[in-house]
Amino acid sequence: MQSQQTAASLHAFIEQLPKAELHVHLEGTLEPELSFALAARNGVALGHDTPEALIAAYNFHDLPSFLTIYYKAMEVLLTEQDFFDMTWAYLSKTRSQNVLYCEMFFDPQAHTSRGVAFDTVIQGIHRAQVQAAAELGVESQLVMCFLRELPAESAMQTLLASLPYKDWIVGVGLDSDEKNNPPIKFAEVFARARAEGYRLTMHCDVNQQNTLVHIRQCLDDIVVDRIDHGVNSLEDPEICAEIARRGIGLTVCPVSNRFVVQNLTGDEIRRMLALGMKATINSDDPAYFRGYMNENLIALHEDAGFEAAEITRLVRNSFEVAWLSEARRSHYLGLLDQSLAANI
Ligand code: HPA
Ligand code: ZN
């Protein structure tokens, strides 16, 4: 493979690579067109006349301003079929970009708090996962996120509600508004989740207050398997060394970062790779940030000069830190190697 490729050939290279996504919020995949269809089906008012007008109102500049729009928009999700349709749309879209494996977050409390049953949410999502595996050839697993601004008791209730569906959920995460909601608030919930056999991850969003304290709590107190975002770990060499030594994956979301903190974080991703940290590339909330997996990788090429070797390292990292069996991991790494061999 040439070290410098034309933009067109690098796009083609990115598009055909077999890829994995590890940080995508299903509710963040709700495209405006589907929101309008669900709003009409359910008789919910969206407050905008067209999908274009809805997109024009996406003026987020930080995490809270994004979350306000994100929670409002998901009010169209009411029935099992709605959750199916949203999940099916994401899996179809991401499969069309050669993403073969995904770990997808969902936010049950954002629905149960509106009177939608946990069962409704997970049954709809799961049915789409099964159908997409059979018909589209895309494998996926679910990661249940707790909303960190809600009390730990609510997270614990949600964890208990999930237990009958333990076989459908691979891990738990922590998302939403990080300000004044540190990881340690959920220590008991995550200890119980670990005891139940769930894998553990938590958001340490970019440029949050007390970010290094939060990352330390993830490493030392919660003992996470992965960290979502985690870009600010670069501010502490000891934290970087520990993340590298423990092989903890960091699920970075460049296009999301460009929206929320006005920085694609290309330099930061390069530094992570140079330090041996397992950085991965992800879309976060692709319907809102207007970019799925390939658009994230292409943005790294176009705006930060990433070439094929670095793109390949990032894609390989995703399969390496995915919550897969060793047999499935080898299968996907084999597909990646085959595709690279065909590109020489
Ligand atoms: N950060 C925190 N919470 C979220 C995000 C995010 O990027 N997306 C959806 N919920
Ligand atoms: Zn996220």
Side-chain angles (χ1 to χ4, degrees):
M1 182 192 317
Q2 294 162 5
S3 58
Q4 292 288 323
Q5 293 173 301
T6 63
S9 77
L10 201 96
H11 288 194
F13 172 77
I14 287 171
E15 281 159 13
Q16 59 75 43
L17 270 186
K19 294 170 288 278
E21 168 134 81
L22 306 178
H23 182 160
V24 58
H25 300 263
L26 271 176
E27 295 88 345
T29 70
L30 192 56
E31 289 286 348
E33 292 74 12
L34 183 56
S35 291
F36 269 78
L38 299 184
R41 186 158 92 191
N42 292 330
V44 176
L46 271 179
H48 298 280
D49 292 335
T50 61
E52 293 71 30
L54 185 62
I55 294 172
Y58 288 174
N59 52 359
F60 10 82
H61 48 276
D62 58 12
L63 185 55
S65 58
F66 163 70
L67 291 169
T68 302
I69 290 169
Y70 170 79
Y71 289 120
K72 175 75 192 136
M74 69 178 79
E75 290 177 7
V76 297
L77 294 163
L78 293 176
T79 68
E80 197 247 38
Q81 187 64 38
D82 300 339
F83 288 92
F84 174 93
D85 290 345
M86 175 178 69
T87 308
W88 180 261
Y90 167 69
L91 288 170
S92 307
K93 172 71 185 178
T94 204
R95 180 66 185 83
S96 78
Q97 296 199 342
N98 270 322
V99 174
L100 302 185
Y101 173 70
C102 333
E103 289 172 12
M104 311 179 298
F105 295 131
F106 75 120
D107 286 328
Q109 290 156 296
H111 311 300
T112 53
S113 63
R114 300 181 290 113
V116 180
F118 186 96
D119 299 17
T120 302
V121 176
I122 197 161
Q123 294 277 2
I125 295 172
H126 182 75
R127 186 161 61 84
Q129 289 180 270
V130 171
Q131 194 170 324
E135 294 180 12
L136 306 176
V138 55
E139 181 179 356
S140 61
Q141 299 202 82
L142 265 186
V143 180
M144 178 174 72
C145 277
F146 306 113
L147 303 188
R148 63 200 305 163
E149 66 270 30
L150 298 184
E153 293 71 27
S154 170
M156 187 63 95
Q157 277 169 15
T158 305
L159 178 66
L160 297 177
S162 79
L163 294 181
Y165 296 101
K166 223 158 73 165
D167 292 348
W168 293 1
I169 301 171
V170 68
V172 296
L174 186 67
D175 66 2
S176 207
D177 195 354
E178 189 165 335
K179 193 171 181 201
N180 300 325
N181 296 300
I184 201 77
K185 173 176 165 185
F186 297 92
E188 206 184 314
V189 179
F190 275 67
R192 174 71 188 267
R194 166 80 80 201
E196 295 290 349
Y198 289 127
R199 310 298 293 265
L200 310 185
T201 187
M202 285 186 164
H203 276 59
C204 290
D205 268 278
V206 185
N207 297 349
Q208 296 293 301
Q209 200 178 51
N210 301 327
T211 184
L212 290 179
V213 173
H214 291 191
I215 294 171
R216 260 282 153 230
Q217 289 178 0
C218 280
L219 295 173
D220 298 347
D221 300 301
I222 311 296
V223 195
V224 292
D225 300 294
R226 276 209 308 256
I227 294 178
D228 299 309
H229 299 288
V231 173
N232 296 83
S233 55
L234 288 166
E235 292 163 17
D236 183 331
E238 278 182 24
I239 286 183
C240 291
E242 187 166 339
I243 288 175
R245 183 179 54 73
R246 286 166 57 178
I248 292 177
L250 299 174
T251 63
V252 185
C253 306
V255 170
S256 160
N257 294 340
R258 188 161 59 189
F259 262 99
V260 178
V261 295
Q262 296 76 51
N263 178 359
L264 190 68
T265 59
D267 291 346
E268 289 82 351
I269 293 165
R270 272 221 173 83
R271 283 173 59 207
M272 289 177 184
L273 294 182
L275 290 167
M277 298 159 85
K278 296 249 181 246
T280 68
I281 301 305
N282 305 274
S283 69
D284 206 3
D285 299 285
Y288 293 92
F289 305 131
R290 318 304 296 154
Y292 288 78
M293 175 58 71
N294 287 352
E295 288 78 21
N296 273 271
L297 295 172
I298 288 169
L300 285 177
H301 172 62
E302 290 186 345
D303 300 349
F306 279 56
E307 297 295 342
E310 287 167 308
I311 302 277
T312 303
R313 179 71 258 166
L314 292 163
V315 170
R316 191 181 293 283
N317 284 351
S318 297
F319 288 118
E320 287 182 356
V321 302
W323 291 336
L324 283 163
S325 69
E326 288 315 311
R328 292 307 287 162
R329 191 187 318 287
S330 300
H331 166 74
Y332 287 116
L333 288 171
L335 291 180
L336 179 59
D337 287 337
Q338 271 172 30
S339 133
L340 292 168
N343 266 284
I344 290 173

